[in-house]
Amino acid sequence: MVVASLIINGIVNAFSSFFAITLNILTILALRKTPSLPKPMKVLLLSLAVSDLGVGLLVQPLFIALISMDMQQESSNFVLRIFHITGTFFSYASFFGITALSLDRFLAIHLHLRYQELVTHKRVAALVIAIWVTSTILALLVFFFQNITFIVLAVIVVFCFLSTTFYYINIFLAVQRHKNQMRSTKADAHQATADSENGKEHFTRLRKSAVGTFYVYLVFLACYTPDFCIIVADVINSGQRSTFVKHLAFFTLSLVFVNSSFNPLIYCWKMRNIRHAITVIIRNIRQCNK
């Protein structure tokens, strides 16, 4: 039973790694060829795609190596340490990236015309740099102070979850208020002007982009919550794991890594510009191979 679970984890991560690498490379290329996206959002999506690519390119192969060694009842502290560092680095870069995306859409809806003035390309680039620097610090903390870091990571995860939930609740309330305003405007046709129509179209675009990032958040929540529960259990039990929890942790980690394959699919599904750019790239690749 134990060997079967390890084999399943290995197969899942092998396929997921392939799709994460392929889909995120396509997403990065597509984002570079999508000028219609706002620059701040494009920078955040690029950062998220790069972190997801790192998971597929480095973290999952290391995880498969650990699974293989566990099946052969071997151990390597070096491989385990490198896995912990890279896993923390890229996973938390993705985590912070999704939180930043939710904040960006929250500001876009609530600031309206002031959004472009306050949320500039340079400020978002600085935020992305801060995300990667923070992820690097957390990865080094995992390497040097693993027991203390579990508590730090748990606090950060709770804070980011609560913040992102707050942002999307407020986005939902803003969308509902806008829908009510649209109904009241339709009730009085004389109030409809060209400016209000342009405002409605602008808000509709913001709403669609917010919905797209919300799906990214929901999938992220579903993939990361089980592993967060394992982290909490580790904190409570001072890192002591039973055999059952140890093998359960393989599945929760696999679910975390599979998230890197889901994000590009959500972009294609909910963001038409990115979907179109990826379609063009695939079509060009096919033509080159003929």
Side-chain angles (χ1 to χ4, degrees), residues 122-250:
K122 288 184 178 180
R123 288 176 178 173
V124 173
L127 174 62
V128 168
I129 292 171
I131 285 172
W132 286 94
V133 170
T134 304
S135 300
T136 302
I137 293 172
L138 290 176
L140 293 175
L141 285 174
V142 167
F143 183 80
F144 291 107
F145 309 103
Q146 189 168 358
N147 291 333
I148 299 175
T149 308
F150 277 136
I151 300 175
V152 175
L153 295 181
V155 171
I156 291 173
V157 167
V158 170
F159 175 77
C160 289
F161 272 143
L162 292 177
S163 299
T164 308
T165 303
F166 169 80
Y167 297 143
Y168 280 116
I169 288 174
N170 279 273
I171 289 171
F172 173 77
L173 294 175
V175 170
Q176 291 301 113
R177 284 196 300 269
H178 185 260
K179 286 182 178 179
N180 293 333
Q181 290 174 359
M182 288 180 64
R183 292 193 189 100
S184 63
T185 301
K186 287 180 180 179
D188 188 357
H190 296 290
Q191 292 182 3
T193 63
D195 290 338
S196 65
E197 289 300 321
N198 291 334
K200 289 176 185 177
E201 291 179 7
H202 176 67
F203 193 88
T204 300
R205 288 195 297 270
L206 290 178
R207 179 178 59 81
K208 288 181 178 179
S209 65
V211 169
T213 58
F214 179 64
Y215 278 104
V216 171
Y217 168 66
L218 283 182
V219 173
F220 176 85
L221 194 65
C223 291
Y224 272 70
T225 299
D227 191 61
F228 174 66
C229 294
I230 295 291
I231 292 175
V232 172
D234 281 336
V235 172
I236 294 173
N237 297 319
S238 302
Q240 299 295 324
R241 288 182 176 180
S242 64
T243 304
F244 172 76
V245 173
K246 178 183 175 182
H247 289 285
L248 182 62
F250 278 113

Side-chain angles (χ1 to χ4, degrees), residues 82-100:
I82 296 299
F83 168 72
H84 280 155
I85 291 173
T86 56
T88 302
F89 178 64
F90 287 112
S91 295
Y92 277 86
S94 294
F95 192 19
F96 295 141
I98 289 172
T99 304

